[in-house]
Amino acid sequence: MVEPVGPRVLAFESSCDELAVAVLEPDGHTLGASVVHSQIDLHARYGGVVPEIASRDHVRRLDDVLDTALEQSGQTLETVDAFAVTQGPGLVGCLLCGLEYVKGLAVGLGRPLVGVHHLEAHLAAADLEEVMPELPYVALLVSGGHTHLIRVEQRGGPHALIGATRDDAAGEAFDKTAKLLGLGYPGGVAIDRLAAEGDAGRFPFPAPMPGKDNLDFSFSGLKTAAQRQLRDLGGALEGQDLADFCAGFQRTIVDNLLKKSFRACRREGLSRLVLAGGVAANSELRERALERGRREQVEVFLPSRKFCTDNAAMVARAGWLRWMAGARDTLDLAARPSWPIAERR
């Protein structure tokens, strides 16, 4: 698909502990640069993100990350046509770091500014691949803070929210359980790695929301089940026991995500499924989604892992789409730590 020529977009992402800057060329598809500065080492000792530490590190790193992105792209601030920035959801202090910085650039250079919904950016990540999914499709957007099923009718929205978590997100369940197991931060990555060597059948976990024929998710009970089972096993696990526990826990989450996702495809009468968000980088989820897609004749699209976790390339794409739709934000643009990506259908 050939898209019209638009602006060269310089985008910033600072909603949590990653600080990222990207340059997207006027065709809306070619990346000139995508730079991500991770704070994993800063937060590992605390077992999770500390908002104040994250914000302060963003402030220290903004100039350097921007300079690296411009150098990689061969561009300058003067050759940028528009700015895009994550407006939310996210940690308000972190959001403000990127947002106020970009406002300053927009004022100084006289360039337009576009605010981007963080989840909209995750949906746009699939467009950065060589082959973009055809519309319409079902998207499973699964991360540390969100687990949504969305019907995507057009790029850039509006969208239809057809399923969501009633309590905890899948990514939170991974991270909190990893902390119980003493696996450190980021926990989801550690569970994924150990699960590859484990026997998923050895430690069974209850299926979330058993008997419910809907498209919603719930993972709070699964976290509680993991805590109780760990207590019954005597606390700390090591070696094969730990790997088997992780495999069983991960298998339960993946089973539930895929069951609801393919149910959504059937109910919506669609044969395309897109995975998005940080948990979409999970190895078992990716492998089994493709396998089940082949079996059920559903085409499954997986963004590259680098575009699943937080990055500015996806923000640039979402910003490009908003700009092409006529969006222009003023300097009154404010950080919004939480708001829905779509109305519930």
Side-chain angles (χ1 to χ4, degrees), residues 126-341:
D127 294 348
L128 296 171
E129 300 301 326
E130 185 174 346
V131 177
M132 293 190 291
E134 292 183 18
L135 298 167
Y137 59 79
V138 170
L140 170 65
L141 203 167
V142 58
S143 66
H146 304 86
T147 303
H148 290 339
L149 283 167
I150 300 168
R151 182 183 175 109
V152 178
E153 290 282 353
Q154 62 184 48
R155 290 183 166 86
H159 306 298
L161 181 63
I162 57 177
T165 181
R166 296 186 178 184
D167 41 57
D168 300 332
E172 181 184 359
F174 272 121
D175 288 340
K176 293 293 178 61
T177 301
K179 190 171 183 178
L180 285 174
L181 293 169
L183 299 180
Y185 171 82
V189 176
I191 287 179
D192 190 12
R193 184 181 64 251
L194 286 165
E197 306 298 326
D199 175 4
R202 183 179 170 201
F203 296 116
F205 290 87
M209 300 178 68
K212 300 292 185 180
D213 185 25
N214 58 33
L215 298 179
D216 287 341
F217 301 93
S218 172
F219 295 106
S220 62
L222 183 60
K223 289 196 310 183
T224 301
Q227 185 176 27
R228 288 175 175 171
Q229 188 164 179
L230 184 61
R231 180 195 60 203
D232 293 344
L233 290 169
L237 298 177
E238 297 179 349
Q240 193 60 47
D241 291 339
L242 179 59
D244 292 345
F245 191 96
C246 289
F249 183 79
Q250 177 170 280
R251 176 65 51 86
T252 304
I253 291 180
V254 171
D255 281 346
N256 191 250
L257 292 174
L258 294 180
K259 178 179 72 174
K260 299 297 179 79
S261 296
F262 284 90
R263 177 183 292 167
C265 289
R266 292 192 296 273
R267 291 190 179 180
E268 297 296 315
L270 298 176
S271 59
R272 286 176 291 275
L273 173 65
V274 172
L275 271 57
V279 179
N282 179 273
S283 301
E284 183 175 354
L285 179 61
R286 294 170 75 89
E287 180 180 347
R288 292 183 55 208
L290 290 171
E291 177 186 293
R292 185 160 178 173
R294 288 189 291 268
R295 191 167 66 247
E296 299 195 17
Q297 296 185 318
V298 172
E299 193 174 9
V300 176
F301 291 84
L302 302 174
S304 301
R305 282 184 168 88
K306 64 182 178 182
F307 295 140
C308 292
T309 52
D310 289 351
N311 64 89
M314 66 184 192
V315 178
R317 171 65 182 177
W320 186 91
L321 289 169
R322 288 203 69 222
W323 195 97
M324 296 297 285
R328 307 288 188 276
D329 289 306
T330 70
L331 295 180
D332 292 332
L333 186 69
R336 298 179 64 183
S338 179
W339 88 97
I341 188 174

Side-chain angles (χ1 to χ4, degrees), residues 35-59:
V35 180
V36 180
H37 169 70
S38 175
Q39 299 179 357
I40 288 176
D41 292 343
L42 290 179
H43 301 286
R45 62 182 293 189
Y46 304 104
V49 177
V50 180
E52 180 69 14
I53 292 175
S55 301
R56 290 181 179 275
D57 193 63
H58 286 341
V59 172

